[in-house]
PDB file of all heavy atoms in Angstrom:
ATOM      1  N   ALA A 959     419.767  50.748 186.253  1.00 97.00           N
ATOM      2  CA  ALA A 959     419.622  49.361 186.870  1.00 97.00           C
ATOM      3  C   ALA A 959     420.741  49.406 187.898  1.00 97.00           C
ATOM      4  O   ALA A 959     421.450  50.247 188.187  1.00 97.00           O
ATOM      5  CB  ALA A 959     420.061  48.296 185.764  1.00 97.00           C
ATOM      6  N   ASP A 960     420.806  48.286 188.642  1.00 97.00           N
ATOM      7  CA  ASP A 960     421.720  48.265 189.923  1.00 97.00           C
ATOM      8  C   ASP A 960     422.135  46.916 190.204  1.00 97.00           C
ATOM      9  O   ASP A 960     421.550  45.786 189.702  1.00 97.00           O
ATOM     10  CB  ASP A 960     420.978  48.837 191.119  1.00 97.00           C
ATOM     11  CG  ASP A 960     421.988  49.299 192.106  1.00 97.00           C
ATOM     12  OD1 ASP A 960     423.197  49.677 191.823  1.00 97.00           O
ATOM     13  OD2 ASP A 960     421.675  49.194 193.428  1.00 97.00           O
ATOM     14  N   ILE A1028     412.781  46.293 193.161  1.00 97.00           N
ATOM     15  CA  ILE A1028     412.941  44.949 192.651  1.00 97.00           C
ATOM     16  C   ILE A1028     413.455  44.096 193.777  1.00 97.00           C
ATOM     17  O   ILE A1028     413.791  44.726 194.957  1.00 97.00           O
ATOM     18  CB  ILE A1028     414.203  44.876 191.625  1.00 97.00           C
ATOM     19  CG1 ILE A1028     415.439  45.529 192.115  1.00 97.00           C
ATOM     20  CG2 ILE A1028     413.848  45.349 190.250  1.00 97.00           C
ATOM     21  CD1 ILE A1028     416.766  44.979 191.697  1.00 97.00           C
ATOM     22  N   THR A1029     413.283  42.795 193.706  1.00 97.00           N
ATOM     23  CA  THR A1029     413.763  41.849 194.789  1.00 97.00           C
ATOM     24  C   THR A1029     415.303  41.771 194.591  1.00 97.00           C
ATOM     25  O   THR A1029     415.907  41.602 195.664  1.00 97.00           O
ATOM     26  CB  THR A1029     412.952  40.518 194.807  1.00 97.00           C
ATOM     27  OG1 THR A1029     413.068  40.052 193.396  1.00 97.00           O
ATOM     28  CG2 THR A1029     411.605  40.724 195.134  1.00 97.00           C
ATOM     29  N   SER A1030     415.696  41.635 193.370  1.00 94.00           N
ATOM     30  CA  SER A1030     417.135  41.359 193.120  1.00 94.00           C
ATOM     31  C   SER A1030     417.413  39.812 193.396  1.00 94.00           C
ATOM     32  O   SER A1030     416.401  39.136 193.913  1.00 94.00           O
ATOM     33  CB  SER A1030     418.168  42.265 193.835  1.00 94.00           C
ATOM     34  OG  SER A1030     419.420  41.893 193.344  1.00 94.00           O
ATOM     35  N   ASN A1031     418.472  39.389 193.287  1.00 86.00           N
ATOM     36  CA  ASN A1031     418.792  37.968 193.575  1.00 86.00           C
ATOM     37  C   ASN A1031     419.311  38.030 195.025  1.00 86.00           C
ATOM     38  O   ASN A1031     419.771  38.859 195.685  1.00 86.00           O
ATOM     39  CB  ASN A1031     419.804  37.491 192.563  1.00 86.00           C
ATOM     40  CG  ASN A1031     421.033  38.261 192.441  1.00 86.00           C
ATOM     41  OD1 ASN A1031     421.622  38.667 193.490  1.00 86.00           O
ATOM     42  ND2 ASN A1031     421.382  38.666 191.256  1.00 86.00           N
ATOM     43  N   TYR A1049     409.643  37.959 198.414  1.00 97.00           N
ATOM     44  CA  TYR A1049     408.297  38.718 197.970  1.00 97.00           C
ATOM     45  C   TYR A1049     407.556  39.148 199.150  1.00 97.00           C
ATOM     46  O   TYR A1049     406.944  40.212 199.139  1.00 97.00           O
ATOM     47  CB  TYR A1049     407.657  37.794 196.996  1.00 97.00           C
ATOM     48  CG  TYR A1049     408.216  38.060 195.546  1.00 97.00           C
ATOM     49  CD1 TYR A1049     408.946  37.024 194.907  1.00 97.00           C
ATOM     50  CD2 TYR A1049     408.173  39.203 194.849  1.00 97.00           C
ATOM     51  CE1 TYR A1049     409.603  37.248 193.700  1.00 97.00           C
ATOM     52  CE2 TYR A1049     408.696  39.431 193.670  1.00 97.00           C
ATOM     53  CZ  TYR A1049     409.445  38.555 193.103  1.00 97.00           C
ATOM     54  OH  TYR A1049     410.043  38.697 191.937  1.00 97.00           O
ATOM     55  N   ALA A1117     410.436  45.308 188.191  1.00 98.00           N
ATOM     56  CA  ALA A1117     411.106  44.435 187.076  1.00 98.00           C
ATOM     57  C   ALA A1117     411.073  42.989 187.804  1.00 98.00           C
ATOM     58  O   ALA A1117     411.510  42.773 188.881  1.00 98.00           O
ATOM     59  CB  ALA A1117     412.437  44.771 186.657  1.00 98.00           C
ATOM     60  N   GLY A1118     410.499  42.043 186.954  1.00 95.00           N
ATOM     61  CA  GLY A1118     410.443  40.633 187.343  1.00 95.00           C
ATOM     62  C   GLY A1118     409.620  39.927 186.403  1.00 95.00           C
ATOM     63  O   GLY A1118     409.021  40.585 185.498  1.00 95.00           O
ATOM     64  N   THR A1119     409.414  38.606 186.700  1.00 94.00           N
ATOM     65  CA  THR A1119     408.591  37.780 185.643  1.00 94.00           C
ATOM     66  C   THR A1119     407.658  36.766 186.318  1.00 94.00           C
ATOM     67  O   THR A1119     406.906  36.293 185.729  1.00 94.00           O
ATOM     68  CB  THR A1119     409.597  37.088 184.812  1.00 94.00           C
ATOM     69  OG1 THR A1119     410.589  36.364 185.451  1.00 94.00           O
ATOM     70  CG2 THR A1119     410.360  37.944 183.788  1.00 94.00           C
ATOM     71  N   SER A1120     407.991  36.347 187.583  1.00 95.00           N
ATOM     72  CA  SER A1120     407.310  35.133 188.228  1.00 95.00           C
ATOM     73  C   SER A1120     405.944  35.532 188.625  1.00 95.00           C
ATOM     74  O   SER A1120     405.489  36.707 188.727  1.00 95.00           O
ATOM     75  CB  SER A1120     408.168  34.671 189.445  1.00 95.00           C
ATOM     76  OG  SER A1120     408.036  35.817 190.440  1.00 95.00           O
ATOM     77  N   PHE A1123     405.884  37.854 191.493  1.00 97.00           N
ATOM     78  CA  PHE A1123     406.115  39.107 191.105  1.00 97.00           C
ATOM     79  C   PHE A1123     404.852  39.874 190.639  1.00 97.00           C
ATOM     80  O   PHE A1123     404.629  40.996 190.930  1.00 97.00           O
ATOM     81  CB  PHE A1123     407.234  39.147 190.034  1.00 97.00           C
ATOM     82  CG  PHE A1123     407.325  40.491 189.315  1.00 97.00           C
ATOM     83  CD1 PHE A1123     408.035  41.440 189.931  1.00 97.00           C
ATOM     84  CD2 PHE A1123     406.630  40.616 188.130  1.00 97.00           C
ATOM     85  CE1 PHE A1123     408.082  42.738 189.174  1.00 97.00           C
ATOM     86  CE2 PHE A1123     406.731  41.823 187.470  1.00 97.00           C
ATOM     87  CZ  PHE A1123     407.472  42.907 187.980  1.00 97.00           C
ATOM     88  N   MET A1135     409.194  47.073 184.004  1.00 97.00           N
ATOM     89  CA  MET A1135     410.330  46.808 183.110  1.00 97.00           C
ATOM     90  C   MET A1135     410.371  45.366 182.733  1.00 97.00           C
ATOM     91  O   MET A1135     410.343  44.527 183.600  1.00 97.00           O
ATOM     92  CB  MET A1135     411.624  47.208 183.734  1.00 97.00           C
ATOM     93  CG  MET A1135     412.836  47.045 182.900  1.00 97.00           C
ATOM     94  SD  MET A1135     414.345  47.036 183.715  1.00 97.00           S
ATOM     95  CE  MET A1135     415.486  46.848 182.501  1.00 97.00           C
ATOM     96  N   ALA A1136     410.295  44.947 181.428  1.00 93.00           N
ATOM     97  CA  ALA A1136     410.130  43.694 181.017  1.00 93.00           C
ATOM     98  C   ALA A1136     411.317  43.258 180.105  1.00 93.00           C
ATOM     99  O   ALA A1136     411.875  44.105 179.273  1.00 93.00           O
ATOM    100  CB  ALA A1136     408.872  43.447 180.390  1.00 93.00           C
ATOM    101  N   PRO A1137     411.575  41.915 179.959  1.00 87.00           N
ATOM    102  CA  PRO A1137     412.601  41.593 179.124  1.00 87.00           C
ATOM    103  C   PRO A1137     411.965  41.807 177.606  1.00 87.00           C
ATOM    104  O   PRO A1137     410.826  41.418 177.482  1.00 87.00           O
ATOM    105  CB  PRO A1137     412.736  40.055 179.248  1.00 87.00           C
ATOM    106  CG  PRO A1137     412.034  39.668 180.586  1.00 87.00           C
ATOM    107  CD  PRO A1137     411.096  40.940 180.892  1.00 87.00           C
TER     108      PRO A1137
HETATM  109  C1  FMN B1466     413.680  43.161 183.194  1.00 54.65           C
HETATM  110  C2  FMN B1466     414.399  42.920 184.533  1.00 54.65           C
HETATM  111  C3  FMN B1466     415.209  43.783 184.983  1.00 54.65           C
HETATM  112  C4  FMN B1466     415.896  43.591 186.149  1.00 54.65           C
HETATM  113  N1  FMN B1466     416.792  44.426 186.705  1.00 54.65           N
HETATM  114  C5  FMN B1466     417.496  44.128 187.804  1.00 54.65           C
HETATM  115  C6  FMN B1466     418.534  45.009 188.474  1.00 54.65           C
HETATM  116  O1  FMN B1466     418.783  46.132 187.840  1.00 54.65           O
HETATM  117  N2  FMN B1466     419.191  44.722 189.451  1.00 54.65           N
HETATM  118  C7  FMN B1466     418.967  43.435 190.022  1.00 54.65           C
HETATM  119  O2  FMN B1466     419.627  43.189 191.164  1.00 54.65           O
HETATM  120  N3  FMN B1466     418.065  42.638 189.668  1.00 54.65           N
HETATM  121  C8  FMN B1466     417.357  42.917 188.470  1.00 54.65           C
HETATM  122  N4  FMN B1466     416.397  42.070 188.064  1.00 54.65           N
HETATM  123  C9  FMN B1466     416.146  40.816 188.791  1.00 54.65           C
HETATM  124  C10 FMN B1466     414.762  40.831 189.577  1.00 54.65           C
HETATM  125  O3  FMN B1466     414.957  41.560 190.710  1.00 54.65           O
HETATM  126  C11 FMN B1466     414.567  39.303 190.298  1.00 54.65           C
HETATM  127  O4  FMN B1466     415.610  38.907 191.051  1.00 54.65           O
HETATM  128  C12 FMN B1466     414.336  38.345 189.121  1.00 54.65           C
HETATM  129  O5  FMN B1466     413.473  38.731 188.250  1.00 54.65           O
HETATM  130  C13 FMN B1466     413.857  37.030 189.686  1.00 54.65           C
HETATM  131  O6  FMN B1466     412.706  37.110 190.245  1.00 54.65           O
HETATM  132  P1  FMN B1466     411.290  36.628 189.593  1.00 54.65           P
HETATM  133  O7  FMN B1466     411.379  35.178 189.258  1.00 54.65           O
HETATM  134  O8  FMN B1466     410.186  36.806 190.512  1.00 54.65           O
HETATM  135  O9  FMN B1466     411.140  37.496 188.318  1.00 54.65           O
HETATM  136  C14 FMN B1466     415.736  42.257 186.824  1.00 54.65           C
HETATM  137  C15 FMN B1466     414.783  41.378 186.369  1.00 54.65           C
HETATM  138  C16 FMN B1466     414.095  41.662 185.211  1.00 54.65           C
HETATM  139  C17 FMN B1466     413.200  40.672 184.609  1.00 54.65           C
END
Side-chain angles (χ1 to χ4, degrees):
D960 199 28
I1028 53 155
T1029 51
S1030 189
N1031 49 54
Y1049 279 109
T1119 53
S1120 64
F1123 164 81
M1135 181 196 182

